[in-house]
Amino acid sequence: MNDKPTGKDYVGSDDLYADVQRTMRLVAEMNTGYHTEAEVRDCLREITRSEVPDTVRVFPPLNINYGPGVRFGNDCFLNFGCTLLAIGGITIEDDVFIGPHCVLATEYHPEDPAKRHTLLTKPIVVKRNAWLGADVKVLAGVTIGENAIVAAGSVVTKDVPDNMVVAGSPAKVIREIRKELSIITMKKLIILAVAALILAACNNKQETKNNENMKQELNLTKEWDKVFPLSDKVNHRKVTFETQYGLTLAADLYTPKDVDGKLPAIAVSGPFGAVKEQSSGLYAMKMAERGFVALAFDPSYTGESSGEPRRTASPDINTEDFMAAVDFLSQLENVDPERIGIIGICGWGGIALNAAAADPRIKATVASTMYDMTRISGNGYYDSDNNEEARHAAREAMGKQRLADPMAMAGGVIDPLPEDAPQIVKDYHAYYKTPRGYHVRSGNSNDGWRVIGTQAYANARFLYYINEIRSAVLVMHGEKAHSRYFGEAAYHYMVDGKAEGYNFIGKPNPNPDNKQLLIIPGATHCDLYDGGEAGYIPWDTLAAFFGKNL
């Protein structure tokens, strides 16, 4: 590809000069007027004097100074306005995406002013499946690794390792590619393993009784079927209550033994896709051991609660679930209605914050190992799909799915576990697919949720007003949790009115002193479901928080 020794200095031969002039003429012809994609490929074959696969797509104008120095792989794509300075040789391998106005420059000059007119070259290689964002500059001698992503506007001066995201000027590694994080295609492992997305399957047949209050009779399991043993310090009974959407929710009510009078109360739910027999029930029981009336409920369309079709979610309906739980607790004889708090786990941590912003009856809130379900549904993990193009593609896919098979399921934790599964997936599997946390009614433990089940979340941003929460809030996250960025961003927006990941800016919180961010050293996301092997959940700290603020 490069007929000059790499990195050597030379002024250039007559043949090289002739090739440059020939390339400039042919490139000008290609960039003038309209050409079909096939015609553009024919132009590139003549410019490069090499075979250009029929799957190559290039949007002119494309500027090239030395055609024989460029090689295209299969299925690669170059957007408008790219420049290839290719005397040193440029190889673009299969499935590469190159965004608009990128520059790949194999040529440079010595730093010494006395030698400045000398031309030096080093080849550039863009390896298979790499993606260069808009306006990226790649300098001589750089290899862009397989599957790598270069963020828009970056200047790449050193090799980019495989499977890494780089950004900046000069570009630096910011994180590893997380292939599993695509929500729409469901092809990536973390979505198959997410313990926090849509609601669980219900194996119990619901019997509906239509009366003036829209109350429904639920077929509730009578035996103890939780993933944790019942504490001898609490009383337990099954209860139901109604939401303002006409749905009846099933719940477990835990009360401390041998305690009289009106007590503070806490409603608990989550993770998304889980049931009250799992993490939320454990949280409720532990709070009851410490003197609180505690209610763990199955959300609408989930577990033993009512709602058809199953495994469906909505920001409005799920926020109402929490507020309906407050309604129920407020009417219990042994509860002080002025002392009610809530706990949301994983995806329900974000919902808990939304409920606290909407309902001032909630005097204290804990968001544990939280997800912001609207942010992840609209932006993807780590905001990797936070652009109009990705969201439009997702909306188109959802529209097609609604017509093709609206009841199609996806997203339960993958089983058996692949040997090369990421640690996040292993953590989810260790909870949802083992006796530690498996439950027959849990969507995450089984076949997941409806593919279109979170469509309403993807087009909403429901934490807009959390900077106006006046009541006490504790955001708790594991130090090693992949979801930690959700909690930290929500906390900072709640306190300061601005945070990374939030496009809107609000006023600082009017009561910031009762807001707390608690990072648990060494804990992962799923460790805060049940404490993990090391007992990471600080139950007494949670009890002290509620004791102080209720």
Side-chain angles (χ1 to χ4, degrees), residues 19 44 55 77 186 225 231 269 274 361 387 420 442 465 506 539:
D19 278 330
L44 290 174
T55 54
F77 169 67
M186 301 297 174
D225 63 346
S231 169
S269 196
R361 296 177 302 165
N387 58 81
D420 60 348
S442 170
Y465 292 115
W539 301 115

Side-chain angles (χ1 to χ4, degrees), residues 94-98 126-132 144-150:
D94 296 349
D95 300 301
V96 167
F97 281 10
I98 298 181
V126 185
K127 299 182 72 173
R128 188 185 68 84
N129 209 40
W131 173 21
L132 278 60
I144 307 294
E146 187 171 312
N147 300 319
I149 297 175
V150 182

